[in-house]
Amino acid sequence: MEKKKRIEITCKTDGTFEIEAFGFEGNSCEQATRDFEKALGNKDIRRKRKSEYFNVSITTQQTNHVRGG
């Protein structure tokens, strides 16, 4: 079952913004927040990567070769 994805944007009292993504894995969170970052001016973007950023599903494929003999 896929995790529910959401993006939270917080406007701080000092005029800066915090964008936090939930339910994403790998760099998909950066792709999902990119348009919000642009809309907010792309200023002083500092990323804090959560553990989910490093949890990338790796799909491997195994091929079995059978030789007749």
Side-chain angles (χ1 to χ4, degrees), residues 23-51:
F24 294 87
E25 288 188 354
N27 70 348
S28 64
C29 57
E30 292 176 358
Q31 295 169 7
T33 60
R34 185 174 295 134
D35 288 338
F36 295 106
E37 293 169 358
K38 286 180 186 178
L40 295 171
N42 269 351
K43 294 181 182 175
D44 299 322
I45 297 172
R46 290 181 216 133
R47 290 188 169 85
K48 293 180 186 176
R49 292 184 169 95
K50 300 177 189 177
S51 61

